[in-house]
Amino acid sequence: MTGAATGGEVDTALSADAARPSRREQILRAAAQLFAERGSRSVGVDDVGAAVGVTGPAIYRHFASKDAMLAEMLEGISRRLLDGGRERVAAAGPDPVAQLRALIAFQVDFALDNPALITVQDRDLGSLSDDDAARVRRLQRRYVEVWVEVLARLRPQEGTAASRARAHAVFGLVNSTPHSAGRVSRPQMAGLLATMAEAAATA
């Protein structure tokens, strides 16, 4: 998917406490918004510094480079998705239907709360170094497999490849929010996405 987040949105996954982000987290939030709007290659360290009210060189107290910001951003959200997905499955109990609904709710909340990150993850992963990109992709694959295990229990007759295809179809649907979020209320959008995602996962 492409498209940037609209103004005023805050990407909560970049902060341990979304209401009280550290300076480092503020820098990552600003970078995510700018990267989503312009693409990471068109944003300089000075641009990020201006967005958080510091000089560009002050950014280097927290990050070695703009590429280091992007790498930490994408690796961090990939790890948060993996950990969060596992937690939701465990909390849902043994029923695979309940597990699927928990995963869908988690992914919908993530997408609605982190529109800039969704855009950056889709568009700028190729800007990472080979080593950084490999780490992010490993985490992403492990997150996909959390979904595959649940979907395979729901439809064991289909096989793993079909379950993986279903998971990616759900991600494509839910992660379209940079295009559609804001056109209806958040609760309504969350409900629409959850209903459509469950239909896609189980049809």
Side-chain angles (χ1 to χ4, degrees):
M1 87 231 91
T2 58
T6 58
E9 291 165 330
V10 173
D11 286 69
T12 58
L14 293 173
S15 306
D17 180 350
R20 303 177 67 181
S22 67
R23 174 62 80 184
R24 186 181 186 88
E25 291 167 344
Q26 290 172 5
I27 291 168
L28 284 176
R29 281 187 181 182
Q33 291 292 326
L34 291 170
F35 292 171
E37 291 165 6
R38 306 182 203 170
S40 63
R41 289 180 176 145
S42 299
V43 175
V45 170
D46 287 340
D47 298 320
V48 178
V52 293
V54 300
T55 61
I59 298 290
Y60 293 113
R61 295 181 199 146
H62 301 276
F63 297 96
S65 65
K66 181 183 70 176
D67 290 343
M69 286 182 224
L70 180 62
E72 181 167 326
M73 188 185 301
L74 295 185
E75 185 172 351
I77 63 169
S78 297
R79 190 173 301 282
R80 182 165 287 201
L81 282 168
L82 174 59
D83 292 344
R86 287 172 169 170
E87 289 169 4
R88 297 313 188 280
V89 168
D95 178 13
V97 174
Q99 292 173 349
L100 175 63
R101 288 175 178 165
L103 282 173
I104 289 171
F106 172 61
Q107 184 69 33
V108 166
D109 282 343
F110 182 90
L112 291 176
D113 291 341
N114 299 280
L117 288 175
I118 293 291
T119 298
V120 174
Q121 182 172 251
D122 180 67
R123 188 176 58 200
D124 290 316
L125 179 58
S127 298
L128 293 177
S129 70
D130 289 345
D131 287 345
D132 288 335
R135 282 196 298 274
V136 171
R137 289 192 175 102
R138 279 196 297 271
L139 290 167
Q140 290 177 341
R141 285 194 295 269
R142 289 163 67 189
Y143 179 55
V144 171
E145 293 311 302
V146 173
W147 284 73
V148 169
E149 290 173 7
V150 172
L151 291 167
R153 287 197 292 274
L154 277 171
R155 302 179 69 88
Q157 73 278 11
E158 283 193 336
T160 300
S163 294
R164 192 170 291 114
R166 284 179 181 272
H168 283 290
V170 170
F171 297 151
L173 189 158
V174 174
N175 291 350
S176 67
T177 51
H179 296 294
S180 54
R183 298 183 185 182
V184 298
S185 70
R186 190 193 187 287
Q188 185 179 359
M189 192 67 198
L192 285 170
L193 287 170
T195 299
M196 290 187 291
E198 185 171 346
T202 59

